[in-house]
Amino acid sequence: GAGVSQSPSNKVTEKGKDVELRCDPISGHTALYWYRQSLGQGLEFLIYFQGNSAPDKSGLPSDRFSAERTGGSVSTLTIQRTQQEDSAVYLCASSLARANYGYTFGSGTRLTVV
Amino acid sequence: GENVEQHPSTLSVQEGDSAVIKCTYSDSASNYFPWYKQELGKRPQLIIDIRSNVGEKKDQRIAVTLNKTAKHFSLHITETQPEDSAVYFCAASSRGGKLIFGQGTELSVKP
């Protein structure tokens, strides 16, 4: 596609429920990244996929968070048993290869846990 | 570990003045340094970047300088306009292939 597409744009969920966030990167971009942005805060790295290599999961805050990337394209970030502190904007970005080609960000998913 | 420090956290200038935002990084292997602008409720957008083989890059009213020895880089905006008001993030590439971001600078340009 023309840009990075994320869905849903907004998600309100009850504490304890599982949620899935979707990211569709720019066609041909082999690198895909997930970041979290809490209100008024910076960009916290979560996970990074590069081609067929094992993902860099070093930023995932707990084992309730997981992500997969199927067929080298679409990625899904799953948060199990959501907590109120999970409320944030989840941003996905893709890049032509590695980070030094620059990122294109999606519009994000605003997650609110009530 | 890999770290990027950004200062100041907030910056207020009068329209027409210059604004400077500074970042330092810890990983000597970093070789790519982009800057992103994020308007309220919008996605971060790349505004300028610099690679380690150059010391300065300019694009109209925006310039970035890099000092690899000191491991710091800066964003300079001249002749600021109200539409420059936003949060600006610096970033540095890491050995692992991702970007490490600074904490952001909220720039306010007063008309």
Side-chain angles (χ1 to χ4, degrees):
Chain A
V4 178
S5 178
Q6 290 188 247
S7 62
S9 54
N10 281 284
K11 176 72 176 179
V12 180
T13 190
E14 291 181 352
K15 178 180 171 182
K17 295 285 178 71
D18 297 353
V19 295
E20 286 189 350
L21 313 180
R22 175 188 167 103
C23 174
D24 196 348
I26 291 174
S27 178
H29 280 195
T30 61
L32 185 148
Y33 311 83
W34 285 97
Y35 284 77
R36 179 168 70 176
Q37 187 172 33
S38 301
L39 187 63
Q41 299 299 306
L43 298 164
E44 177 190 5
F45 169 73
L46 297 177
I47 188 168
Y48 155 43
F49 297 90
Q50 171 59 64
N52 295 321
S53 302
D56 176 354
K57 304 180 182 180
S58 61
L60 294 179
S62 78
D63 59 8
R64 296 186 297 105
F65 288 72
S66 64
E68 64 177 19
R69 189 178 185 193
T70 54
S73 182
V74 172
S75 176
T76 302
L77 177 68
T78 301
I79 309 173
Q80 296 179 310
R81 305 181 302 281
T82 51
Q83 304 294 314
Q84 287 187 330
E85 60 263 29
D86 299 335
S87 296
V89 175
Y90 289 81
L91 287 163
C92 175
S94 70
S95 177
L96 189 58
R98 291 168 59 90
N100 52 4
Y101 286 88
Y103 288 0
T104 300
F105 281 93
S107 295
T109 293
R110 180 176 298 279
L111 176 66
T112 304
V113 182
V114 297
Chain B
E2 301 159 329
N3 190 45
V4 175
E5 297 285 338
Q6 182 172 347
H7 299 282
S9 56
T10 61
L11 179 60
S12 181
V13 299
Q14 288 294 131
E15 182 177 0
D17 287 351
S18 295
V20 180
I21 303 170
K22 298 182 179 182
C23 291
T24 59
Y25 60 98
S26 60
D27 187 352
S28 57
S30 294
N31 59 10
Y32 175 67
F33 307 90
W35 287 86
Y36 286 82
K37 175 183 180 182
Q38 187 178 32
E39 297 176 351
L40 192 62
K42 302 283 183 64
R43 74 187 79 187
Q45 296 207 312
L46 178 68
I47 56 171
I48 195 168
D49 56 15
I50 191 168
R51 299 185 188 277
S52 58
N53 57 345
V54 297
E56 184 173 0
K57 184 176 179 180
K58 190 173 181 180
D59 182 4
Q60 299 182 1
R61 296 186 297 108
I62 294 173
V64 59
T65 59
L66 171 65
N67 183 327
K68 283 218 70 178
T69 302
K71 290 194 276 189
H72 68 70
F73 56 113
S74 300
L75 178 72
H76 305 251
I77 306 175
T78 58
E79 301 171 21
T80 53
Q81 301 168 2
E83 53 264 37
D84 295 329
S85 296
V87 178
Y88 291 81
F89 292 97
C90 64
S93 61
S94 73
R95 295 170 196 263
K98 60 184 181 282
L99 291 177
I100 306 299
F101 286 86
Q103 287 301 300
T105 295
E106 183 176 0
L107 174 64
S108 175
V109 180
K110 300 183 187 301

Short mmCIF file of all heavy atoms in Angstrom, two decimals, chain A residues 4 33 35 37 41-43 45 48 56 58 91 98-103 105-107, chain B residues 31-32 36 38 41 43-44 46 51 89 93-103:
data_model
loop_
_atom_site.label_atom_id
_atom_site.label_comp_id
_atom_site.label_asym_id
_atom_site.label_seq_id
_atom_site.Cartn_x
_atom_site.Cartn_y
_atom_site.Cartn_z
N VAL A 4 1.80 2.94 5.82
CA VAL A 4 1.65 1.92 6.84
C VAL A 4 0.23 2.04 7.41
O VAL A 4 -0.16 3.13 7.84
CB VAL A 4 2.69 2.09 7.96
CG1 VAL A 4 2.49 1.05 9.04
CG2 VAL A 4 4.11 2.01 7.37
N TYR A 33 8.47 -2.59 12.85
CA TYR A 33 8.74 -2.25 14.25
C TYR A 33 7.44 -1.90 14.96
O TYR A 33 6.56 -1.27 14.37
CB TYR A 33 9.66 -1.03 14.33
CG TYR A 33 10.90 -1.09 13.47
CD1 TYR A 33 10.84 -0.75 12.13
CD2 TYR A 33 12.13 -1.48 14.00
CE1 TYR A 33 11.97 -0.80 11.32
CE2 TYR A 33 13.27 -1.53 13.20
CZ TYR A 33 13.17 -1.18 11.86
OH TYR A 33 14.29 -1.23 11.07
N TYR A 35 6.23 0.21 18.46
CA TYR A 35 6.59 1.09 19.56
C TYR A 35 5.33 1.43 20.35
O TYR A 35 4.21 1.34 19.83
CB TYR A 35 7.21 2.40 19.04
CG TYR A 35 8.64 2.27 18.56
CD1 TYR A 35 8.91 1.70 17.31
CD2 TYR A 35 9.71 2.70 19.34
CE1 TYR A 35 10.22 1.57 16.87
CE2 TYR A 35 11.02 2.57 18.90
CZ TYR A 35 11.27 2.01 17.67
OH TYR A 35 12.57 1.88 17.24
N GLN A 37 3.63 4.50 22.83
CA GLN A 37 3.75 5.90 23.24
C GLN A 37 2.66 6.19 24.27
O GLN A 37 1.48 6.29 23.91
CB GLN A 37 3.65 6.84 22.05
CG GLN A 37 3.94 8.29 22.40
CD GLN A 37 4.03 9.19 21.18
OE1 GLN A 37 3.35 8.98 20.18
NE2 GLN A 37 4.88 10.21 21.25
N GLN A 41 4.54 11.01 26.42
CA GLN A 41 5.85 10.37 26.59
C GLN A 41 6.53 10.10 25.25
O GLN A 41 5.98 10.40 24.19
CB GLN A 41 5.67 9.04 27.36
CG GLN A 41 5.10 9.20 28.75
CD GLN A 41 5.98 10.06 29.63
OE1 GLN A 41 7.18 9.78 29.77
NE2 GLN A 41 5.42 11.10 30.21
N GLY A 42 7.72 9.55 25.34
CA GLY A 42 8.49 9.23 24.15
C GLY A 42 8.06 7.92 23.52
O GLY A 42 7.00 7.37 23.82
N LEU A 43 8.90 7.44 22.62
CA LEU A 43 8.61 6.23 21.85
C LEU A 43 9.38 5.07 22.46
O LEU A 43 10.61 5.00 22.38
CB LEU A 43 9.01 6.45 20.39
CG LEU A 43 8.24 7.58 19.69
CD1 LEU A 43 8.93 8.00 18.42
CD2 LEU A 43 6.82 7.12 19.39
N PHE A 45 10.42 1.29 22.45
CA PHE A 45 10.57 0.15 21.54
C PHE A 45 9.96 -1.11 22.15
O PHE A 45 10.16 -1.39 23.34
CB PHE A 45 12.06 -0.09 21.26
CG PHE A 45 12.35 -1.39 20.56
CD1 PHE A 45 12.03 -1.55 19.22
CD2 PHE A 45 12.90 -2.45 21.25
CE1 PHE A 45 12.28 -2.75 18.58
CE2 PHE A 45 13.16 -3.65 20.62
CZ PHE A 45 12.85 -3.81 19.28
N TYR A 48 10.88 -5.92 16.94
CA TYR A 48 11.36 -5.61 15.59
C TYR A 48 11.50 -6.89 14.80
O TYR A 48 12.08 -7.86 15.27
CB TYR A 48 12.70 -4.88 15.76
CG TYR A 48 13.71 -4.92 14.66
CD1 TYR A 48 13.35 -4.76 13.32
CD2 TYR A 48 15.06 -5.07 14.96
CE1 TYR A 48 14.31 -4.77 12.33
CE2 TYR A 48 16.02 -5.07 13.97
CZ TYR A 48 15.65 -4.92 12.65
OH TYR A 48 16.61 -4.91 11.67
N ASP A 56 13.58 -9.33 17.24
CA ASP A 56 14.18 -8.73 18.43
C ASP A 56 13.05 -8.38 19.38
O ASP A 56 12.34 -7.40 19.16
CB ASP A 56 14.98 -7.49 18.02
CG ASP A 56 15.56 -6.72 19.20
OD1 ASP A 56 15.26 -7.08 20.36
OD2 ASP A 56 16.28 -5.74 18.98
N SER A 58 13.38 -7.66 22.60
CA SER A 58 13.99 -7.15 23.83
C SER A 58 13.19 -6.05 24.51
O SER A 58 13.41 -5.77 25.69
CB SER A 58 15.41 -6.65 23.53
OG SER A 58 15.37 -5.59 22.58
N LEU A 91 2.25 2.29 18.06
CA LEU A 91 2.67 2.72 16.73
C LEU A 91 3.46 1.60 16.04
O LEU A 91 4.32 0.98 16.64
CB LEU A 91 3.56 3.96 16.82
CG LEU A 91 2.86 5.26 17.19
CD1 LEU A 91 3.88 6.30 17.64
CD2 LEU A 91 2.06 5.80 16.02
N ARG A 98 17.08 -1.97 7.03
CA ARG A 98 17.36 -1.73 8.43
C ARG A 98 16.99 -0.29 8.79
O ARG A 98 16.55 0.47 7.95
CB ARG A 98 18.85 -1.97 8.70
CG ARG A 98 19.25 -3.41 8.59
CD ARG A 98 20.76 -3.55 8.58
NE ARG A 98 21.39 -3.02 9.77
CZ ARG A 98 21.62 -3.72 10.86
NH1 ARG A 98 21.24 -4.99 10.93
NH2 ARG A 98 22.22 -3.19 11.90
N ALA A 99 17.16 0.04 10.04
CA ALA A 99 16.71 1.33 10.54
C ALA A 99 17.36 2.49 9.80
O ALA A 99 16.78 3.57 9.71
CB ALA A 99 17.00 1.45 12.03
N ASN A 100 18.57 2.30 9.24
CA ASN A 100 19.23 3.45 8.65
C ASN A 100 18.72 3.79 7.25
O ASN A 100 19.36 4.51 6.51
CB ASN A 100 20.75 3.29 8.68
CG ASN A 100 21.20 1.99 8.07
OD1 ASN A 100 20.40 1.23 7.56
ND2 ASN A 100 22.50 1.74 8.13
N TYR A 101 17.56 3.26 6.92
CA TYR A 101 16.82 3.75 5.76
C TYR A 101 15.64 4.61 6.20
O TYR A 101 14.86 5.05 5.38
CB TYR A 101 16.32 2.59 4.90
CG TYR A 101 17.42 1.92 4.11
CD1 TYR A 101 18.16 0.89 4.64
CD2 TYR A 101 17.71 2.35 2.82
CE1 TYR A 101 19.17 0.29 3.93
CE2 TYR A 101 18.72 1.75 2.08
CZ TYR A 101 19.44 0.72 2.65
OH TYR A 101 20.44 0.13 1.93
N GLY A 102 15.48 4.79 7.49
CA GLY A 102 14.38 5.62 7.99
C GLY A 102 13.09 4.83 8.13
O GLY A 102 12.87 3.86 7.43
N TYR A 103 12.27 5.26 9.07
CA TYR A 103 10.99 4.62 9.32
C TYR A 103 9.87 5.42 8.66
O TYR A 103 9.94 6.65 8.61
CB TYR A 103 10.64 4.65 10.81
CG TYR A 103 11.39 3.78 11.76
CD1 TYR A 103 12.39 2.92 11.39
CD2 TYR A 103 11.05 3.83 13.11
CE1 TYR A 103 13.05 2.14 12.33
CE2 TYR A 103 11.69 3.06 14.05
CZ TYR A 103 12.70 2.22 13.65
OH TYR A 103 13.34 1.45 14.59
N PHE A 105 5.94 5.68 9.79
CA PHE A 105 5.03 5.26 10.86
C PHE A 105 3.59 5.15 10.36
O PHE A 105 3.17 5.90 9.46
CB PHE A 105 5.04 6.27 12.01
CG PHE A 105 6.22 6.15 12.93
CD1 PHE A 105 7.36 6.89 12.73
CD2 PHE A 105 6.18 5.27 14.00
CE1 PHE A 105 8.45 6.78 13.58
CE2 PHE A 105 7.26 5.15 14.87
CZ PHE A 105 8.40 5.91 14.64
N GLY A 106 2.84 4.25 10.98
CA GLY A 106 1.40 4.24 10.82
C GLY A 106 0.78 5.28 11.73
O GLY A 106 1.48 5.96 12.51
N SER A 107 -0.55 5.40 11.67
CA SER A 107 -1.26 6.39 12.49
C SER A 107 -1.47 5.93 13.93
O SER A 107 -1.89 6.72 14.76
CB SER A 107 -2.62 6.70 11.86
OG SER A 107 -2.45 7.32 10.61
N ASN B 31 25.18 5.07 13.09
CA ASN B 31 25.63 5.76 11.88
C ASN B 31 24.51 6.48 11.14
O ASN B 31 24.71 6.97 10.03
CB ASN B 31 26.33 4.76 10.94
CG ASN B 31 25.43 3.61 10.53
OD1 ASN B 31 24.23 3.63 10.79
ND2 ASN B 31 26.01 2.61 9.89
N TYR B 32 23.33 6.52 11.74
CA TYR B 32 22.19 7.16 11.09
C TYR B 32 21.38 7.88 12.15
O TYR B 32 21.04 7.28 13.19
CB TYR B 32 21.35 6.10 10.37
CG TYR B 32 20.08 6.63 9.75
CD1 TYR B 32 20.11 7.52 8.68
CD2 TYR B 32 18.84 6.24 10.25
CE1 TYR B 32 18.94 8.00 8.11
CE2 TYR B 32 17.67 6.72 9.69
CZ TYR B 32 17.72 7.60 8.63
OH TYR B 32 16.57 8.07 8.07
N TYR B 36 12.25 13.38 13.81
CA TYR B 36 10.84 13.23 13.49
C TYR B 36 10.06 14.36 14.15
O TYR B 36 10.38 14.80 15.26
CB TYR B 36 10.31 11.89 14.01
CG TYR B 36 10.78 10.72 13.18
CD1 TYR B 36 12.03 10.16 13.38
CD2 TYR B 36 9.98 10.20 12.16
CE1 TYR B 36 12.48 9.11 12.60
CE2 TYR B 36 10.41 9.15 11.38
CZ TYR B 36 11.66 8.61 11.61
OH TYR B 36 12.10 7.57 10.82
N GLN B 38 6.17 15.36 15.38
CA GLN B 38 4.88 14.78 15.67
C GLN B 38 3.92 15.88 16.12
O GLN B 38 4.07 16.45 17.21
CB GLN B 38 4.97 13.69 16.74
CG GLN B 38 3.66 12.95 16.96
CD GLN B 38 3.77 11.84 17.98
OE1 GLN B 38 4.54 11.90 18.92
NE2 GLN B 38 2.98 10.78 17.78
N GLY B 41 -1.82 14.44 18.06
CA GLY B 41 -2.74 13.43 17.55
C GLY B 41 -2.36 12.81 16.22
O GLY B 41 -3.13 12.04 15.64
N ARG B 43 0.81 11.02 13.50
CA ARG B 43 1.95 10.10 13.53
C ARG B 43 3.26 10.88 13.42
O ARG B 43 3.29 11.97 12.85
CB ARG B 43 1.84 9.13 12.35
CG ARG B 43 2.17 9.74 11.00
CD ARG B 43 1.89 8.80 9.86
NE ARG B 43 0.47 8.74 9.52
CZ ARG B 43 -0.06 7.89 8.65
NH1 ARG B 43 0.71 7.01 8.05
NH2 ARG B 43 -1.34 7.91 8.39
N PRO B 44 4.36 10.34 13.96
CA PRO B 44 5.66 11.00 13.75
C PRO B 44 6.03 10.97 12.27
O PRO B 44 5.82 9.95 11.59
CB PRO B 44 6.62 10.13 14.57
CG PRO B 44 5.77 9.37 15.53
CD PRO B 44 4.46 9.16 14.82
N LEU B 46 9.18 11.90 9.42
CA LEU B 46 10.60 12.21 9.22
C LEU B 46 10.73 13.59 8.57
O LEU B 46 10.09 13.87 7.56
CB LEU B 46 11.22 11.15 8.31
CG LEU B 46 12.69 11.32 7.94
CD1 LEU B 46 13.57 11.11 9.16
CD2 LEU B 46 13.07 10.33 6.85
N ARG B 51 23.68 11.08 8.01
CA ARG B 51 24.48 9.87 8.19
C ARG B 51 25.86 10.26 8.70
O ARG B 51 26.28 11.41 8.59
CB ARG B 51 24.56 9.10 6.87
CG ARG B 51 23.19 8.67 6.40
CD ARG B 51 23.21 7.80 5.16
NE ARG B 51 21.84 7.60 4.67
CZ ARG B 51 21.00 6.70 5.13
NH1 ARG B 51 21.37 5.90 6.12
NH2 ARG B 51 19.78 6.59 4.63
N PHE B 89 11.37 14.54 17.89
CA PHE B 89 12.13 13.41 18.42
C PHE B 89 13.40 13.22 17.61
O PHE B 89 13.36 13.18 16.38
CB PHE B 89 11.32 12.10 18.33
CG PHE B 89 10.13 12.04 19.24
CD1 PHE B 89 8.87 12.35 18.76
CD2 PHE B 89 10.26 11.67 20.56
CE1 PHE B 89 7.75 12.29 19.58
CE2 PHE B 89 9.16 11.60 21.40
CZ PHE B 89 7.90 11.91 20.91
N SER B 93 20.52 5.14 15.14
CA SER B 93 20.45 3.72 14.79
C SER B 93 21.28 2.91 15.78
O SER B 93 22.27 3.38 16.31
CB SER B 93 20.96 3.49 13.37
OG SER B 93 22.31 3.88 13.25
N SER B 94 20.83 1.67 16.01
CA SER B 94 21.53 0.80 16.94
C SER B 94 22.19 -0.34 16.18
O SER B 94 21.86 -0.60 15.02
CB SER B 94 20.54 0.22 17.96
OG SER B 94 19.71 -0.75 17.33
N ARG B 95 23.10 -1.03 16.84
CA ARG B 95 23.77 -2.19 16.23
C ARG B 95 22.74 -3.22 15.79
O ARG B 95 22.93 -3.93 14.81
CB ARG B 95 24.71 -2.85 17.23
CG ARG B 95 25.87 -1.99 17.67
CD ARG B 95 26.61 -2.62 18.84
NE ARG B 95 27.47 -1.64 19.48
CZ ARG B 95 28.76 -1.52 19.21
NH1 ARG B 95 29.33 -2.32 18.34
NH2 ARG B 95 29.48 -0.60 19.82
N GLY B 96 21.67 -3.35 16.54
CA GLY B 96 20.67 -4.37 16.24
C GLY B 96 19.73 -4.03 15.10
O GLY B 96 18.90 -4.85 14.72
N GLY B 97 19.85 -2.81 14.53
CA GLY B 97 19.04 -2.49 13.36
C GLY B 97 17.78 -1.73 13.64
O GLY B 97 16.94 -1.58 12.75
N LYS B 98 17.60 -1.23 14.86
CA LYS B 98 16.41 -0.42 15.15
C LYS B 98 16.85 0.98 15.54
O LYS B 98 18.04 1.26 15.70
CB LYS B 98 15.61 -1.05 16.29
CG LYS B 98 16.37 -1.19 17.61
CD LYS B 98 15.52 -1.91 18.63
CE LYS B 98 16.23 -2.06 19.97
NZ LYS B 98 17.23 -3.14 19.92
N LEU B 99 15.87 1.88 15.65
CA LEU B 99 16.14 3.25 16.09
C LEU B 99 15.87 3.38 17.59
O LEU B 99 14.88 2.84 18.10
CB LEU B 99 15.26 4.25 15.35
CG LEU B 99 15.52 4.45 13.86
CD1 LEU B 99 14.51 5.43 13.26
CD2 LEU B 99 16.95 4.93 13.62
N ILE B 100 16.77 4.08 18.26
CA ILE B 100 16.57 4.43 19.66
C ILE B 100 16.21 5.91 19.69
O ILE B 100 16.96 6.74 19.16
CB ILE B 100 17.84 4.19 20.49
CG1 ILE B 100 18.36 2.75 20.31
CG2 ILE B 100 17.56 4.48 21.97
CD1 ILE B 100 17.38 1.68 20.75
N PHE B 101 15.06 6.23 20.30
CA PHE B 101 14.54 7.59 20.28
C PHE B 101 14.87 8.35 21.56
O PHE B 101 14.93 7.77 22.65
CB PHE B 101 13.02 7.57 20.10
CG PHE B 101 12.59 7.22 18.70
CD1 PHE B 101 12.43 5.90 18.31
CD2 PHE B 101 12.35 8.22 17.77
CE1 PHE B 101 12.04 5.57 17.02
CE2 PHE B 101 11.96 7.91 16.48
CZ PHE B 101 11.81 6.59 16.09
N GLY B 102 15.05 9.66 21.42
CA GLY B 102 15.10 10.54 22.57
C GLY B 102 13.70 10.72 23.14
O GLY B 102 12.72 10.23 22.57
N GLN B 103 13.61 11.43 24.26
CA GLN B 103 12.34 11.57 24.96
C GLN B 103 11.42 12.63 24.35
O GLN B 103 10.27 12.77 24.76
CB GLN B 103 12.57 11.89 26.43
CG GLN B 103 13.08 10.69 27.21
CD GLN B 103 12.09 9.53 27.14
OE1 GLN B 103 10.95 9.62 27.56
NE2 GLN B 103 12.54 8.41 26.58
#
